[in-house]
Amino acid sequence: MNSATEANFDGLVGPTHNYSGLSFGNVASLKNATQGSNPKAAAKQGLEKMKALADMGFAQGILAPHERPHLPTLRRLGFSGSDQQVLEKVVKQAPKLLAAVSSASCMWTANAATVSPSGDTQDGRVHFTTANLVNKFHRSIEHETTAAILRASFADSQYFSHHNALPSVEHFGDEGAANHTRFCEHYNEAGIEFFVYGTKAFDQAAPRPTSFPARQTLEASQAVARAHGLSPQQVVYAQQNPDVIDAGVFHNDVIAVGNRNAHFYHQQAFLDTAQMKQDLLTAWGDRTSPFHFIEVPSDAVSVQDCIQSYLFNSQLLSRGDDNMVLIVPGECQANPNVWRYLQSLVESNAPIQEVKVFDLKQSMSNGGGPACLRLRVALTKAERQAVNPAIWMNDEQFIQLNQWVDRHYRDRLVEADLADPQLLIESRTALDELTQLLNLGSIYPFQKI
Ligand SMILES: N=C(N)NCCC[C@H](NC(=O)CCC(=O)O)C(=O)O
């Protein structure tokens, strides 16, 4: 019996969750730019998923949302006066900026960091590099608070090592675990770390998308692998197909997902699929379990179906030793091609034996599915015990957090509401209380004034 497991740490949706069309290249974000949102429902949909996974026996953690609107950023950009005056000025002079500093985008914790489990690293500790998210302004302001939350959650330096985000320039554009997968036989053993990039920053002749941005560079992935002390033989790099980025696949986790010895991906996901397979098999070497490539053909499920349904933005989780369950959003059930494919998949002898559907509509409408909402961290038993105990999901925490949402969250938010000084007060009051519920200490700028 093996004591290491993969834990999932989901981002709790913050009180200012809204749709502002901030993510060029992300189809859902642009499509829903003028919709009203429901922060209360969004937070509850996320909590339901966390609780269901905890009830299925998975280690499930919670990562706190950030302070929004982010007044320190507005002050840095020259807005001054009281908080209320800053809000009044920014909504008049630069309303889109107010929307950007109000986004609850930190909920997508697959973009919080890249994590290397202790089995893979030279010093035997779990390594975290916070993602700089430099491609989108509203997300580039996340990494400082994300780092503080990760340090408060994984505090013991005997087990955990934290790296600052890479330089905040396009050359080192880093989107964290959304472009990173780890394969292994058992979670505690040395695994293969698979980094997928959108382009090479220092090679202008390299293939790249032409309509939408490549958010992750090879150079960023290489820097993370170096910092984490990974053995080069256990690292595989692959380039995402630029055409699918141009179709709206802004992160690799919108078109591929992996777990242990299974790689589930779309036929068009990679620039060179044969090379990707060969490199993974070489790194897999003579491990005893077979490696499964589950390639979904375009004539069964198109790239458009993938983007619309988020089939691959699913969580692929091991149940027991060999069976895996796929956690998918409701949009997969609603798409006939995808649903037909999934039925045939579970009936085949592939390791994915079960599919579970969750309603995550509020997050999905901004382009965030089940896999976006979670950061995977494989942990040994000792490492699990070293995690801040207050951030684990359980019956008690589920009740507490639902009541907390009921006390503080609105059930409707439109862009015009973001300038309401009352929303800032509500948000800070909620987060101040949350730091106590999750025993995080003072992590927010407003708590340090
Ligand atoms: N695929 C992963 N791992 N994460 C999904 C992130 C979605 C996020 N959407 C947004 O930030 C939209 C915000 C808005 O438009 O209001 C993004 O594009 O970065």
Side-chain angles (χ1 to χ4, degrees):
M1 191 54 198
N2 198 292
S3 67
T5 49
E6 180 187 275
N8 283 281
F9 293 87
D10 280 41
L12 181 53
V13 178
T16 60
H17 159 63
N18 74 96
Y19 303 117
S20 287
L22 301 173
S23 279
F24 178 63
N26 169 343
V27 178
S29 154
L30 295 195
K31 189 173 135 215
N32 296 307
T34 56
Q35 298 281 319
S37 66
N38 183 338
K40 186 178 278 188
K44 291 195 166 215
Q45 287 171 355
L47 286 170
E48 286 294 335
K49 173 168 89 78
M50 295 187 227
K51 179 62 164 50
L53 265 64
D55 287 347
M56 286 163 76
F58 296 109
Q60 178 66 56
I62 306 145
L63 295 176
H66 297 188
E67 172 186 351
R68 294 290 182 272
H70 198 240
L71 270 288
T73 297
L74 293 178
R75 292 184 185 283
R76 194 174 154 196
L77 295 174
F79 293 97
S80 57
S82 66
D83 288 346
Q84 181 161 350
Q85 286 165 338
V86 167
L87 291 172
E88 278 164 14
K89 288 177 194 170
V90 71
V91 74
K92 277 201 204 100
Q93 295 173 30
K96 262 305 169 206
L97 184 56
L98 178 59
V101 301
S102 303
S103 176
S105 53
C106 67
M107 73 175 82
W108 301 296
T109 54
N111 305 117
T114 306
V115 185
S116 295
S118 54
D120 299 356
T121 62
Q122 217 161 29
D123 66 3
R125 292 189 294 168
V126 183
H127 284 246
F128 298 80
T129 296
T130 317
N132 59 26
L133 299 173
V134 74
N135 189 259
K136 297 282 175 271
F137 171 67
H138 70 290
R139 306 217 59 188
S140 70
I141 61 172
E142 288 176 31
H143 69 84
E144 262 181 54
T145 302
T146 297
I149 291 171
L150 290 175
R151 283 173 201 271
S153 307
F154 305 91
D156 190 335
S157 61
Q158 186 188 339
Y159 296 108
F160 306 117
S161 169
H162 295 272
H163 303 268
N164 291 332
L166 299 177
S168 284
V169 286
E170 202 187 337
H171 291 72
F172 291 99
D174 180 17
E175 301 275 320
N179 297 307
H180 173 258
T181 303
R182 177 178 186 253
F183 299 104
C184 60
E185 271 197 297
H186 301 288
Y187 292 115
N188 62 330
E189 292 167 4
I192 297 164
E193 299 211 10
F194 180 55
F195 290 87
V196 181
Y197 58 92
T199 193
K200 294 177 186 161
F202 288 91
D203 176 1
Q204 282 309 308
R208 60 190 69 236
T210 52
S211 305
F212 291 148
R215 295 200 201 181
Q216 179 86 33
T217 67
L218 171 63
E219 291 83 350
S221 302
Q222 288 169 327
V224 171
R226 266 192 303 273
H228 290 193
L230 304 180
S231 144
Q233 290 72 39
Q234 297 298 303
V235 175
V236 172
Y237 299 100
Q239 181 162 358
Q240 219 187 322
N241 178 355
D243 293 345
V244 300
I245 298 180
D246 278 339
V249 181
F250 56 98
H251 289 138
N252 181 59
D253 70 2
V254 177
I255 199 137
V257 59
N259 173 48
R260 288 185 55 191
N261 61 340
H263 193 193
F264 179 48
Y265 59 94
H266 190 267
Q267 183 183 353
Q268 285 165 261
F270 300 99
L271 184 62
D272 188 341
T273 307
Q275 190 70 47
M276 174 279 288
K277 289 168 85 169
Q278 190 184 317
D279 291 349
L280 282 177
L281 285 178
T282 304
W284 190 251
D286 56 6
R287 286 171 168 86
T288 47
S289 321
F291 192 91
H292 301 276
F293 291 103
I294 309 168
E295 183 172 310
V296 180
S298 306
D299 57 11
V301 176
S302 69
V303 171
Q304 284 312 320
D305 285 330
C306 299
I307 294 166
Q308 186 272 328
S309 70
Y310 265 41
L311 165 62
F312 294 97
N313 199 261
S314 46
Q315 290 179 253
L316 184 53
L317 303 171
S318 289
R319 291 201 92 167
D321 249 8
D322 292 315
N323 287 346
M324 297 189 196
V325 55
L326 197 67
I327 306 294
V328 301
E331 285 73 2
C332 286
Q333 201 164 22
N335 179 311
N337 294 340
V338 170
W339 196 241
R340 196 176 316 114
Y341 174 80
L342 283 171
Q343 314 283 242
S344 66
L345 180 68
V346 292
E347 279 158 23
S348 75
N349 50 14
I352 302 171
Q353 295 289 306
E354 196 186 347
V355 173
K356 280 195 181 289
V357 181
F358 284 83
D359 176 7
L360 295 165
K361 222 173 190 43
Q362 286 287 321
S363 166
M364 283 288 288
S365 300
N366 251 338
C372 299
L373 286 162
R374 60 92 172 97
L375 182 66
R376 293 189 278 191
V377 188
L379 295 167
T380 63
K381 192 168 176 210
E383 290 158 0
R384 248 180 354 258
Q385 284 166 350
V387 173
N388 169 5
I391 69 168
W392 293 116
M393 176 53 82
N394 52 37
D395 292 350
E396 175 61 23
Q397 202 58 294
F398 181 68
I399 294 170
Q400 291 280 350
L401 289 171
N402 269 294
Q403 290 174 348
W404 171 82
V405 169
D406 285 331
R407 274 197 302 280
H408 299 289
Y409 280 52
R410 298 188 184 187
D411 59 12
R412 182 164 165 84
L413 211 57
V414 292
E415 221 178 297
D417 297 324
L418 300 174
D420 178 359
Q422 193 54 38
L423 182 68
L424 175 69
I425 295 167
E426 284 166 26
S427 177
R428 286 179 174 171
T429 308
L431 296 186
D432 200 36
E433 218 177 276
L434 185 69
T435 51
Q436 292 164 41
L437 282 174
L438 301 181
N439 197 17
L440 295 172
S442 297
I443 49 166
Y444 298 114
F446 75 85
Q447 294 177 310
K448 291 173 188 155
I449 296 167

